[in-house]
Amino acid sequence: MEALHAAGIRFAQALQSGPPWLEKFWISVTSLADPKSIFTVFFPLAYFLDRKVGVSVLWIGLLSEWLNVVLKWFLFGERPFWWVHESGLVSKELVTLRQFPVSCETGPGDPSGHCMITGAALWPLVTALTALASGRSASLALRLSPLVAYAALLLAVGLSRVFILAHFPHQVVGGILAGAALGWGLQARAPTARAPRFFLAAALALLLGSLALHRLVIAAGVDIDW
């Protein structure tokens, strides 16, 4: 893992050495793609366009957010901003990295929550737009444009997380793959016909389940707050 982490640091250095105008772009991307945007922006937008799609975005966003926290408890994952000093890499070779106001994230970093939650929750919206485009146009480019935009967004989010030193590249790749798989797997199982009380009960169950799991992991001697 040390070699993988060191390679990730060098990749982050290469990103940060790019044109100055890219800095504002990466910081804007990482801010706009915050998982909270799923619930404050994308869910209302999707619900306005189509109720079933909106409910799917909300449901998958909820489950993927919960699962991301649980995965981080078991996979741990260093954060580049902290690892570069704790590992002693700075004393072995010249490391030129810049810190940003959003760099100092704490807690486990594997997999990337930005990539995983965004990738999962936006899948229903992307597939709905793809179906809409396919029904309106015979152009292959137009029909594939939602998927291309989805892939480009996840790539940009992943690079932005590496740029600000919040994640290593392998954590970003894991988040993207997990998010796309979750979105694909959960979309057909979204409870779009359920009453609001079902979602309240589900949210409460997830909350209580995570608290219980947290206590069990700590009781087993695993320090998840390292």
Side-chain angles (χ1 to χ4, degrees), residues 191-213:
T192 55
R194 295 278 192 165
R197 63 178 177 272
F198 168 82
F199 296 97
L200 290 174
L204 181 61
L206 291 175
L207 173 62
L208 295 178
S210 61
L211 292 174
L213 182 60

Side-chain angles (χ1 to χ4, degrees), residues 34-66 116-129 150 179 182-183 186-192 199:
D34 188 282
K36 291 190 293 291
S37 298
I38 295 299
F39 307 103
T40 60
V41 178
F42 293 107
F43 161 61
L45 176 62
Y47 193 90
F48 174 76
L49 296 174
D50 185 279
R51 180 187 176 278
K52 289 185 177 180
V53 175
V55 172
S56 296
V57 168
L58 179 63
W59 177 248
I60 295 175
L62 178 68
L63 292 183
S64 58
E65 178 113 37
W66 181 86
M116 179 176 169
I117 299 164
T118 300
L122 291 189
W123 183 259
L125 184 59
V126 169
T127 54
L129 292 175
Y150 172 78
L182 270 175
L186 293 175
Q187 182 180 5
R189 299 172 178 81
T192 55
F199 296 97

